[in-house]
Amino acid sequence: MTKMLISEMDAINIRESRRVYLDKEIDIRKMIHLKNFIKRINEESGLSLVLIDDGSAAFDSLTKSYGMFSGVRALVSLKGDSEDQYLDEKIGYYGEKLLIEAVRLNLGTCWVGGTFDEKSKIFDRKPGDRFIGVITMGYCNNEKSFREKIISAAVHRKNRSMNEIYYSDTKNLPHKFIAGIKAIQKAPSAKNSQPVKLKYINHKVIIYVNELNEFDFVDLGIAKYHFYVATGTNFPLGNYAECLLQE
């Protein structure tokens, strides 16, 4: 890719979930770029993400898709070793890293956890794999369709305020921490539940979820990636993970 791409933070700021795609194949150069990107992710994380050029069959069944998606072509199968205790979180972190790269390539994207046919023959599952979901990718109209707007209104709710996301023992919060909170506010989550919370105590940041829903640990990984992009500070794996935030 020779064209200058927007920054990851800019991509986070403009990202929207898109469910209606144009009947158009993704440019071969972008597909090669994404497949190489996935190869590096898999090598770093131990995951088994796969970019499928034509994943439309996963959304052919109205019973599964409820008509929420149309025109789907490319998608990424999100899976990994079922014995990996951090699999869900890794899928969230690295899946969002990949999704943001697709946004930088001017592609529409969407996290999908259940509204597709996960038994479709397009998915190659090896013994020991656990399949968590997919990310759809493709070209979209600049403006959301009427159907997309209706669906978005139905599945989304107002973002949590900053005060609902964190607890702190001081009012003098570092600029980086505030930037991290704002980035997490923009993180996608299952049913827009926004389960991730943080504590800031004596320069130490703690991030956690209450493990109430199926995709909470995926959402934790997504939030950790957004925090990293905004602050340059990475959390270790695990719930109630801690890091020191330096200005």
Side-chain angles (χ1 to χ4, degrees):
M1 302 298 296
T2 56
K3 184 180 178 181
M4 183 68 70
L5 302 180
I6 63 174
S7 71
E8 289 178 297
M9 196 66 240
D10 285 340
I12 284 174
N13 287 329
I14 67 172
R15 182 211 65 84
E16 290 184 292
S17 296
R18 300 304 302 265
R19 296 173 175 84
V20 177
Y21 298 91
L22 302 177
D23 185 17
K24 179 181 177 182
E25 291 184 3
I26 296 176
D27 182 274
I28 185 63
R29 292 168 299 177
K30 293 183 179 182
M31 291 294 285
I32 292 172
H33 177 84
L34 289 169
K35 288 180 178 180
N36 288 333
F37 199 83
I38 288 172
K39 181 180 179 181
R40 293 194 296 272
I41 281 178
N42 287 340
E43 290 172 349
E44 178 180 334
S45 65
L47 297 174
S48 302
L49 309 188
V50 178
L51 177 57
I52 300 172
D53 295 47
D54 185 357
S56 56
F59 294 89
D60 285 346
S61 171
L62 281 175
T63 303
K64 280 290 186 179
S65 70
Y66 309 108
M68 294 179 68
F69 289 83
S70 68
V72 172
R73 296 186 70 87
L75 58 77
V76 178
S77 170
L78 306 171
K79 57 190 178 75
D81 185 352
S82 61
E83 298 298 318
D84 187 344
Q85 65 174 318
Y86 298 118
L87 177 60
D88 295 76
E89 185 184 329
K90 286 181 178 180
I91 289 292
Y93 186 95
Y94 288 100
E96 184 68 1
K97 181 181 178 75
L98 173 61
L99 182 148
I100 291 302
E101 187 68 11
V103 173
R104 296 177 74 209
L105 295 173
N106 200 30
L107 297 173
T109 61
C110 190
W111 279 92
V112 191
T115 52
F116 66 98
D117 184 6
E118 59 185 68
K119 295 181 180 180
S120 172
K121 294 180 180 179
I122 66 171
F123 299 119
D124 178 24
R125 298 196 208 180
K126 298 177 181 178
D129 278 348
R130 184 158 69 85
F131 184 44
I132 291 178
V134 301
I135 294 174
T136 56
M137 297 179 176
Y139 296 110
C140 303
N141 288 320
N142 291 333
E143 293 291 328
K144 283 189 173 182
S145 68
F146 178 74
R147 181 171 61 172
E148 280 185 293
K149 291 177 181 178
I150 293 295
I151 293 172
S152 293
V155 301
H156 286 80
R157 65 172 177 80
K158 186 178 179 181
N159 285 344
R160 293 185 189 275
S161 68
M162 287 183 62
N163 290 335
E164 292 178 289
I165 294 176
Y166 77 91
Y167 164 81
S168 175
D169 62 351
T170 178
K171 292 183 179 180
N172 298 317
L173 295 170
H175 294 302
K176 277 189 177 181
F177 182 74
I178 294 173
I181 289 289
K182 289 181 177 179
I184 287 176
Q185 283 181 303
K186 296 178 182 296
S189 59
K191 298 180 181 178
N192 202 32
S193 57
Q194 302 169 38
V196 177
K197 295 187 177 182
L198 296 97
K199 295 179 181 179
Y200 179 78
I201 302 173
N202 194 25
H203 304 290
K204 183 170 66 177
V205 184
I206 303 168
I207 190 168
Y208 64 98
V209 292
N210 290 319
E211 307 175 56
L212 299 177
N213 298 305
E214 179 184 2
F215 293 104
D216 274 3
F217 285 133
V218 175
D219 295 339
L220 178 64
I222 294 172
K224 284 185 179 182
Y225 181 70
H226 276 224
F227 191 87
Y228 168 71
V229 171
T231 68
T233 302
N234 225 343
F235 287 99
L237 288 165
N239 203 15
Y240 289 92
E242 301 178 2
C243 69
L244 287 174
L245 191 62
Q246 301 295 336
E247 280 293 298

